């Protein structure tokens, strides 16, 4: 028994010894990584950061590309700077900057390299490369700078900046390192995984002074960096820049969609800024200046701003009324006993005329019939049941929910239902007379410009839409997100759109938007005036064209600009003409919109009246603080074309 136990013990230790010898053989002979680590004084692992994917417009024009630059890294425990003054002169920095950068690097790690100075141009790198050999602990790393072909689409494209400490700690996979760049907003954020590419690794030999001596083992262990996937957008860059110019000196939004696909043609958030200023080494300073701007140029209004839709909402009311059978195309209403005022216009004996003249009493009566389309005698209960049925029908138009656009921070807006009013009044303690303002797009309704552009696309398609999206193709194969190929139906039959579209055509040809009609193009549109407690009302217009074969649906919102026909409609119809014909026939209208300074009517939070021109100049960011690059576009109108 003892003998057998002795053999077991001897066998166990022999097995451990064999395993140890095999592991030692693997580490010293087979595993190249051990050789690399043991030769850390002569062999260096270099991580290669790939170029981010480029972004193109619908015609193949480049919107975003990469400019090669160099970052200077420092490893604090290795750093030796005997002559700090000369070192600062070489790099063009102040002594206080040197101290601050070294302290930050040491706080991160004394033994790991971290960023010291970023985005040196090729010319800067060439001029100081040899000099930096005298300073141990410093090394260069190739990087790239996001570069924009035009000063447009700042909020849509988003920006790239250094990863934050919080983002580093929360990442699910250990991909990013300190000082890495990551998409922080817009398209850059949503498509970060596709755009960032795949890192490469090189092993190089160096002497004790850190001077490069060539690839290790001929580069056989190196892996190549793979550039990020290119993105192909539905943006029309020429139209986008034209829309930008029309929104100079204004606060608001433009969203244009291709109805048959849901691709975004143009998206303007005004005021805006040149995206190049957040792609420079002065990011922190420039971002802080933008954040202080009272007109909030960092706020992406097309998807984040909310407004009452005003009379544009009457289109949906008419469609629901027709589908539910509470009205016919020939239905007419008197103005008797109607609590909403009427504009001075001819009689509205049909749906088309009601839309054309935007008659408030007409749509008050339509909404009332929708709400009371039930056999419940108690008006409180009838109103509650009717409102929930109305809510369900309206929500199929994308109202009161996020559409799912490929941009962050989309606001869902507000579409009230029974539970909403129960919170304010109590259950069955409210009725139609408490909510009738919804009939004309006022009250508790809140929508985004994106949603109203989508409504225009739904009407253009006569009943359906595709999720609006900026990017329609990813990579060389232009892979499409399958979610953007799903057709969403509203449940309204196509024939019910005919009288509504007829009325929209009438609104442009001889109604509320007649002053901005375009010769040769049949446009169906609807003006809206969004009530506003602070200053003038907001101007809204939605439209699509050409009616016989819709290629563009659009929504324009101009804050504090008054009636929809005064500012929003002219801007929208000029953009429609530009997109469809590549020219403008009504030069007088174009010139008037270029020169219109509607920003002077905007009342900022905390103000009781519009800000004066002198105060505006003080609050807006100076060109000098942006290294001579203008930040906020609406300070001056563009020169005459």
């Amino acid at each position: 028994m003892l003998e057998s136990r002795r053999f077991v013990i001897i066998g166990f230790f022999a097995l451990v010894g064999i395993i140890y010898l095999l592991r030692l053989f693997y580490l010293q002979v087979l595993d190249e990584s051990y050789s690399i680590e043991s030769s850390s004084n002569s062999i260096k692992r270099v991580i290669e950061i790939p170029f981010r994917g480029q972004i193109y417009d619908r015609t193949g024009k480049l919107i975003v590309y990469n400019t090669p630059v160099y970052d200077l890294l420092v490893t604090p425990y290795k750093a030796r700077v005997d002559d700090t003054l000369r070192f600062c002169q070489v790099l063009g920095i102040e002594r206080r900057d040197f101290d601050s950068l070294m302290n930050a690097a040491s706080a991160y790690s004394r033994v790991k390299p971290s960023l010291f100075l970023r985005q040196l141009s090729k010319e800067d790198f060439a001029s100081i490369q040899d000099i930096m050999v005298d300073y141990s602990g410093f090394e260069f790393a190739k990087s790239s700078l996001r570069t924009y072909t035009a000063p447009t689409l700042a909020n849509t494209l988003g920006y790239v900046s250094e990863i934050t400490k919080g983002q580093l700690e929360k990442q699910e996979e250990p991909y990013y390192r300190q000082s890495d760049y990551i998409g922080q907003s817009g398209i850059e954020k949503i498509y970060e995984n596709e755009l960032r590419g795949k890192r490469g690794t090189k092993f190089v030999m160096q002497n004790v002074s850190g001077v490069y001596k060539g690839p290790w083992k001929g580069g056989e262990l190196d892996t190549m960096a793979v550039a990020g996937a290119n993105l192909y957008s539905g943006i029309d860059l020429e139209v986008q820049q034209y829309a930008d110019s029309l929104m100079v000196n204004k606060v608001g939004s433009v969203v244009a969609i291709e109805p048959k696909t849901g691709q975004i043609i143009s998206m303007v958030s005004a005021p805006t800024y040149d995206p190049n200023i957040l792609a420079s080494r002065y990011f922190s300073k420039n971002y802080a200046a933008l954040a202080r701007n009272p007109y909030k140029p960092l706020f992406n209004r097309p998807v984040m701003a909310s407004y009452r839709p005003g009379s544009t909402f009457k289109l949906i009311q008419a469609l629901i009324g027709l589908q539910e059978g509470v009205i016919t195309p020939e239905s007419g209403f008197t103005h008797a006993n109607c609590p909403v005022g009427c504009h001075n216009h001819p009689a509205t004996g049909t749906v088309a005329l009601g839309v054309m003249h935007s008659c408030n009493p007409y749509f008050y009566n339509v909404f009332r019939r929708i709400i009371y389309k039930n056999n419940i005698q108690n008006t409180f209960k009838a109103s509650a049941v009717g409102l929930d049925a109305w809510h369900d029908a309206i929500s199929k138009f994308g109202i009161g929910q996020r559409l799912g656009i490929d941009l962050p921070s989309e606001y869902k807006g507000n579409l009230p239902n029974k539970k909403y009013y129960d919170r304010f009044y109590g259950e069955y303690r409210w009725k139609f007379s408490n909510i009738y303002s919804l009939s004309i797009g006022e009250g508790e309704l809140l929508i985004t410009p994106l949603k109203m552009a989508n409504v225009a696309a739904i009407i253009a398609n006569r009943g359906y839409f595709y999720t609006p999206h900026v990017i329609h193709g990813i990579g060389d194969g232009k892979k499409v997100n399958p979610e953007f190929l799903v057709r969403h139906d509203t449940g309204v039959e196509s024939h019910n759109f005919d009288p509504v579209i007829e009325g929209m055509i009438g609104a442009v040809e001889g109604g509320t938007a007649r002053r901005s009609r375009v010769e040769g193009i049949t446009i169906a549109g609807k003006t809206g005036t969004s009530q506003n407690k602070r200053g003038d009302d907001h101007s809204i217009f939605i439209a699509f064209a050409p009616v016989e074969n819709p290629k563009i649906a659009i929504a324009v919102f101009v804050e504090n600009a008054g009636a929809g026909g005064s500012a929003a409609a002219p801007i929208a119809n000029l953009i429609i003409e530009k997109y469809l014909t590549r020219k403008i026939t009504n030069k007088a209208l174009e010139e008037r919109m270029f020169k219109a300074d509607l920003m002077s009517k905007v009342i900022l939070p905390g103000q009781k009246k519009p800000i004066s021109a002198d105060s505006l100049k003080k609050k807006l960011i100076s060109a000098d603080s942006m290294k001579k690059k203008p930040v906020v576009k609406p300070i001056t109108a563009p020169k005459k074309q």
Side-chain angles (χ1 to χ4, degrees):
M1 185 69 178
L2 292 174
E3 188 70 19
S4 61
R5 185 176 296 177
R6 183 165 64 90
F7 281 119
V8 170
I9 294 172
I10 293 173
F12 173 76
F13 282 106
L15 180 62
V16 171
I18 291 171
I19 293 174
Y20 177 78
L21 290 172
L22 289 173
R23 180 61 178 168
L24 194 62
F25 174 78
Y26 173 77
L27 290 174
Q28 293 188 341
V29 179
L30 301 179
D31 189 3
E32 297 285 1
S33 65
Y34 178 81
S35 176
I36 295 169
E37 296 297 334
S38 64
S39 306
S40 59
N41 289 329
S42 58
I43 300 171
K44 180 181 177 183
R45 186 196 305 264
V46 179
I47 302 297
E48 288 199 321
I49 304 298
F51 281 130
R52 289 179 73 85
Q54 301 182 141
I55 304 177
Y56 295 84
D57 87 337
R58 64 170 44 234
T59 66
K61 293 178 182 176
L62 193 60
I63 302 176
V64 187
Y65 64 99
N66 305 285
T67 298
V69 292
Y70 292 85
D71 292 337
L72 181 62
L73 309 180
V74 61
T75 305
Y77 95 96
K78 292 182 179 179
R80 297 291 182 273
V81 181
D82 297 326
D83 189 344
T84 306
L85 180 60
R86 178 173 179 269
F87 181 86
C88 292
Q89 288 175 340
V90 168
L91 295 180
I93 62 175
E94 300 290 335
R95 173 59 191 263
R96 62 177 179 272
D97 296 327
F98 172 84
D99 293 336
S100 176
L101 292 167
M102 288 299 296
N103 290 336
S106 297
Y108 166 64
S109 174
R110 287 194 53 78
V111 297
K112 294 180 180 179
S114 62
L115 186 68
F116 184 81
L117 201 61
R118 68 169 72 258
Q119 297 172 346
L120 298 170
S121 67
K122 290 188 292 185
E123 293 75 20
D124 292 336
F125 171 72
S127 66
I128 66 175
Q129 181 182 16
D130 294 338
I131 301 174
M132 291 304 296
V133 174
D134 298 334
Y135 300 99
S136 61
F138 291 88
E139 58 186 295
F140 290 101
K142 288 183 179 179
S143 184
S144 62
L145 178 71
R146 282 309 240 181
T147 310
Y148 304 85
T149 58
T152 187
L153 286 166
N155 285 304
T156 301
L157 295 171
Y159 63 88
V160 175
S161 70
E162 187 176 338
I163 191 169
T164 66
K165 183 179 179 181
Q167 289 172 323
L168 273 175
E169 294 172 350
K170 291 179 182 178
Q171 59 179 327
E172 296 179 0
E173 298 178 8
Y175 178 84
Y176 298 99
R177 307 166 301 160
Q178 180 78 12
S179 303
D180 278 351
Y181 274 36
I182 186 172
Q184 300 285 12
S185 70
I187 292 300
E188 296 281 9
K189 178 178 181 178
I190 295 296
Y191 293 96
E192 168 64 19
N193 290 343
E194 292 81 4
L195 286 167
R196 73 187 184 187
K198 185 178 180 181
R199 287 199 181 101
T201 305
K202 291 201 315 182
F203 299 99
V204 299
M205 296 185 294
Q206 59 184 17
N207 62 17
V208 293
S209 300
V211 178
Y212 174 72
K213 291 297 183 181
W216 185 63
K217 287 197 171 184
E220 65 181 55
L221 296 181
D222 296 354
T223 56
M224 296 292 292
V226 179
N230 293 333
L231 301 182
Y232 300 88
S233 75
I235 297 293
D236 187 313
L237 191 57
E238 181 182 349
V239 174
Q240 174 68 32
Q241 290 181 273
Y242 182 69
D244 277 336
S245 68
L246 291 171
M247 290 298 289
V248 166
N249 288 323
K250 302 167 187 71
V251 176
S253 304
V254 174
V255 181
I257 301 174
E258 185 177 62
K260 292 294 188 290
T261 65
Q263 293 179 24
I264 300 291
I265 296 168
S266 175
M267 181 171 278
V268 177
S269 180
T272 186
Y273 61 94
D274 184 343
N276 284 293
I277 68 168
L278 293 186
S280 73
R281 72 174 69 171
Y282 308 106
F283 170 85
S284 296
K285 180 180 180 181
N286 292 349
Y287 185 90
L290 288 170
R292 289 194 303 269
N293 188 288
Y295 292 99
K296 300 181 179 180
L298 292 170
F299 184 63
N300 194 10
R301 286 177 169 83
V303 298
M304 297 172 71
S306 60
Y307 308 84
R308 297 182 179 92
S311 293
T312 58
F313 194 74
K314 295 172 182 175
L315 302 174
I316 306 179
Q317 299 281 40
L319 291 167
I320 299 301
L322 289 164
Q323 181 63 30
E324 293 296 319
V326 299
I327 58 171
T328 69
E330 289 74 34
S331 292
F333 298 97
T334 68
H335 296 175
N337 301 317
C338 186
V340 292
C342 181
H343 310 299
N344 184 20
H345 59 72
T348 52
T350 65
V351 169
L353 289 172
V355 170
M356 176 179 176
H357 297 298
S358 195
C359 179
N360 287 338
Y362 189 96
F363 290 96
Y364 167 87
N365 283 287
V366 172
F367 184 51
R368 191 173 188 278
R369 286 193 178 184
I370 294 172
I371 294 300
Y372 286 138
K373 188 200 173 187
N374 52 61
N375 296 320
I376 302 173
Q377 297 301 313
N378 184 304
T379 56
F380 293 97
K381 291 184 178 180
S383 297
V385 172
L387 182 67
D388 272 351
W390 171 85
H391 175 279
D392 293 343
I394 298 293
S395 64
K396 293 179 181 179
F397 285 75
I399 308 300
Q401 58 191 288
R402 294 179 180 87
L403 292 173
I405 188 173
D406 49 352
L407 288 174
S409 305
E410 181 191 358
Y411 179 60
K412 69 178 183 179
N414 187 51
L415 179 62
N417 58 8
K418 175 184 178 295
K419 290 182 179 179
Y420 181 88
Y421 288 112
D422 284 348
R423 289 199 299 269
F424 290 96
Y425 298 103
E427 189 174 18
Y428 302 130
R429 299 187 65 180
W430 55 271
K431 56 183 179 178
F432 179 79
S433 60
N434 299 109
I435 63 171
Y436 68 80
S437 59
L438 297 176
S439 65
I440 56 173
E442 297 296 340
E444 294 75 25
L445 272 172
L446 288 175
I447 51 85
T448 62
L450 173 68
K451 285 184 176 61
M452 289 315 298
N454 192 55
V455 168
I458 289 171
I459 299 173
N461 291 333
R462 286 173 164 76
Y464 68 90
F465 70 94
Y466 292 96
T467 300
H469 53 283
V470 179
I471 302 301
H472 68 78
I474 303 172
D476 294 337
K478 296 186 178 180
K479 182 178 67 174
V480 180
N481 184 335
E483 294 179 5
F484 300 150
L485 300 176
V486 177
R487 172 170 160 161
H488 303 278
D489 288 294
T490 62
V492 178
E493 296 174 28
S494 60
H495 67 86
N496 287 323
F497 287 84
D498 294 337
V500 172
I501 293 172
E502 180 186 345
M504 294 173 71
I505 295 171
V508 175
E509 295 296 323
T512 53
R514 62 188 178 278
R515 294 184 181 87
S516 55
R517 60 190 297 270
V518 178
E519 292 293 337
I521 301 175
T522 305
I523 299 174
K526 181 71 188 76
T527 57
T529 305
S530 179
Q531 293 180 6
N532 175 39
K533 294 180 179 179
R534 297 178 57 81
D536 293 343
D537 291 336
H538 304 316
S539 177
I540 306 175
F541 185 70
I542 69 171
F544 67 90
V547 170
E548 55 275 8
N549 182 24
K551 295 181 180 178
I552 181 173
I554 191 169
V556 175
F557 285 62
V558 185
E559 294 187 14
N560 302 103
S566 62
I571 290 172
N573 289 350
L574 286 168
I575 293 170
I576 287 173
E577 184 180 19
K578 185 71 170 180
Y579 179 68
L580 295 178
T581 70
R582 299 292 158 173
K583 62 182 181 180
I584 297 297
T585 54
N586 193 339
K587 292 294 184 180
L589 180 64
E590 179 186 57
E591 185 69 15
R592 180 162 64 86
M593 288 299 103
F594 277 155
K595 291 182 176 180
D597 182 4
L598 300 175
M599 181 174 270
S600 60
K601 294 186 175 183
V602 175
I603 300 178
L604 297 170
Q607 303 287 331
K608 294 183 178 180
K609 59 182 180 179
I611 193 169
S612 66
D614 291 339
S615 297
L616 176 63
K617 290 180 180 179
K618 293 178 181 178
K619 286 181 177 290
L620 292 179
I621 306 160
S622 69
D624 289 340
S625 69
M626 294 294 106
K627 300 300 177 182
K628 305 302 181 182
K629 292 182 179 180
V631 177
V632 179
K633 295 182 66 176
I635 300 175
T636 57
K639 294 180 180 179
K640 185 175 180 180
Q641 301 291 315

